[in-house]
Amino acid sequence: MRYPQGGGLTAERRAFRERIRMEAAGMFAAGQVNTVMAKQLRVSLRSVQRWRADWQDGGRQALQSKGSAARPKLSEALFTVLEQELARGPVAHGWPDQTWTLARIKTLIGRRFHKTLTLSAIAQMLHRHGFSHQVPARRALERNDDAVTGWVKDTWPPGGSAAAALDGWIVFEDEAGFSMTPPTSRTWSRRGHTPVIRVRGRSRGRVSVAALCCYRPGERSRLIYRYILHDPHGGHTKAGRRSFSWTDYRDLLSAAHQQLGAPLVLVWDNLNTHRAVSLRNWVAEHDGVTVVQLPV
């Protein structure tokens, strides 16, 4: 591979090639012919011819590695600064969305370091430093990480104890909407670290799915779900909704309770429908369902 990661030879690869050339120098001194050398060294005949011309002009020293072909325009120290700026996100630098493109990175380099690089040079530099072009993950703007930490510490332990006391199932519920159009935008980030962009925690998908992930010690896990298919021309369900109503959740929980045959400790978020008065009254009237609400 001549240009690993699109960014020139590594030090190890340069050293390997130099060993091949030094071996060729010994074969030149021994009087071997080019065609035999090319076969033994597993290189092209043209390479052997070029090495022989250099060897005749300057000896073994002419075949030694001269190091990297060119020094990078951004030093390691400057790239560290660039990585910090990239981590701040495009919005912090005045762009309207949260994806990095080569053109934006080029502009950022010009603003921050007063240097000009071509788009291909920027791509090679990013690849050399372990970056790749990725589809980012999505995280809701409404998420409050401090509230989540407090919930895990204070609220959830009683919920887990309730499931054990009732000999019931711990049930995690969530819903999602899906469209038939896959995401197309990508952004640059270090390989192995999927970038995350902040988006509205709502969906206008053509298919809505609500699912229960059910767990109890000594039992295999269960997945119980319901889905709604929306009109392909942008219409709604028969009830005039694009999402589940409180009666849909009621029916899903009733079916799960009947199928599992044991009390449910339900963990779900603060979706408006989850907090509907009718649904809360129904839960209060049924001893088989205990609700643990996730943090707002």
Side-chain angles (χ1 to χ4, degrees):
M1 181 169 58
R2 185 176 181 184
Y3 298 108
Q5 305 300 338
L9 295 175
T10 63
E12 293 80 6
R13 192 62 180 174
R14 284 196 301 271
F16 170 77
R17 291 194 171 194
E18 185 180 39
R19 288 195 299 270
I20 297 296
R21 294 194 297 272
M22 293 300 101
E23 186 176 349
M27 299 172 75
F28 293 147
Q32 293 200 30
V33 298
N34 291 349
T35 53
V36 175
M37 291 177 57
K39 184 175 182 180
Q40 291 182 355
L41 297 176
R42 302 180 67 181
V43 297
S44 67
L45 179 61
R46 178 68 184 125
S47 294
V48 175
Q49 293 171 344
R50 186 173 64 254
W51 294 344
R52 183 181 290 274
D54 293 340
W55 176 76
Q56 290 173 343
D57 291 340
R60 293 176 62 90
Q61 186 176 357
L63 298 180
Q64 292 178 350
S65 174
K66 298 177 177 61
S68 179
R71 296 183 63 185
K73 288 191 175 182
L74 286 186
S75 65
E76 291 301 319
L78 291 183
F79 187 85
T80 299
V81 176
L82 175 62
E83 187 172 6
Q84 293 171 354
E85 297 294 336
L86 293 176
R88 294 176 58 198
V91 174
H93 293 281
W95 281 286
D97 58 42
Q98 303 173 59
T99 55
W100 282 114
T101 64
L102 291 177
R104 290 180 177 181
I105 297 175
K106 177 180 180 179
T107 301
L108 176 61
I109 292 172
R111 291 175 181 173
R112 189 67 175 79
F113 308 113
H114 306 289
K115 294 179 180 291
T116 301
L117 280 73
T118 63
L119 298 183
S120 61
I122 294 172
Q124 292 172 6
M125 176 182 65
L126 292 172
H127 280 302
R128 281 198 304 272
H129 287 84
F131 282 69
S132 63
H133 207 208
Q134 307 177 33
V135 177
R138 297 172 180 267
R139 181 171 295 164
L141 283 169
E142 297 84 354
R143 172 169 166 164
N144 185 328
D145 291 331
D146 292 337
V148 171
T149 302
W151 183 91
V152 171
K153 180 179 179 181
D154 301 325
T155 305
W156 171 239
S161 300
L166 296 171
D167 191 26
W169 292 77
I170 297 178
V171 178
F172 297 92
E173 189 278 339
D174 203 3
E175 54 283 315
F178 302 90
S179 70
M180 299 299 107
T181 304
T184 56
S185 63
R186 291 174 177 263
T187 186
W188 285 90
S189 180
R190 187 173 291 280
R191 282 191 299 273
H193 298 273
T194 302
V196 176
I197 61 174
R198 296 283 183 173
V199 296
R200 291 290 176 188
R202 291 182 256 177
S203 174
R204 296 175 61 85
R206 294 175 60 187
V207 180
S208 294
V209 179
L212 305 175
C213 296
C214 312
Y215 305 93
R216 187 167 73 165
E219 301 276 356
R220 64 181 179 86
S221 59
R222 310 288 178 86
L223 176 65
I224 303 173
Y225 66 92
R226 297 290 185 271
Y227 66 88
I228 297 176
L229 296 177
H230 301 293
D231 187 280
H233 302 291
H236 302 264
T237 61
K238 292 182 179 180
R241 299 176 59 92
R242 284 186 176 273
S243 59
F244 288 87
S245 65
W246 80 267
T247 55
D248 295 320
Y249 290 112
R250 177 200 63 192
D251 296 341
L252 175 60
L253 294 175
S254 296
H257 189 202
Q258 181 177 2
Q259 181 175 338
L260 298 174
L264 311 180
V265 175
L266 174 67
V267 182
W268 62 9
D269 58 24
N270 289 274
L271 187 70
N272 289 339
T273 311
H274 294 171
R275 296 182 295 168
V277 174
S278 299
L279 183 57
R280 294 171 66 178
N281 290 340
W282 179 85
V283 170
E285 295 171 359
H286 289 75
D287 296 334
V289 180
T290 301
V291 174
V292 178
Q293 211 81 32
L294 287 170
V296 177

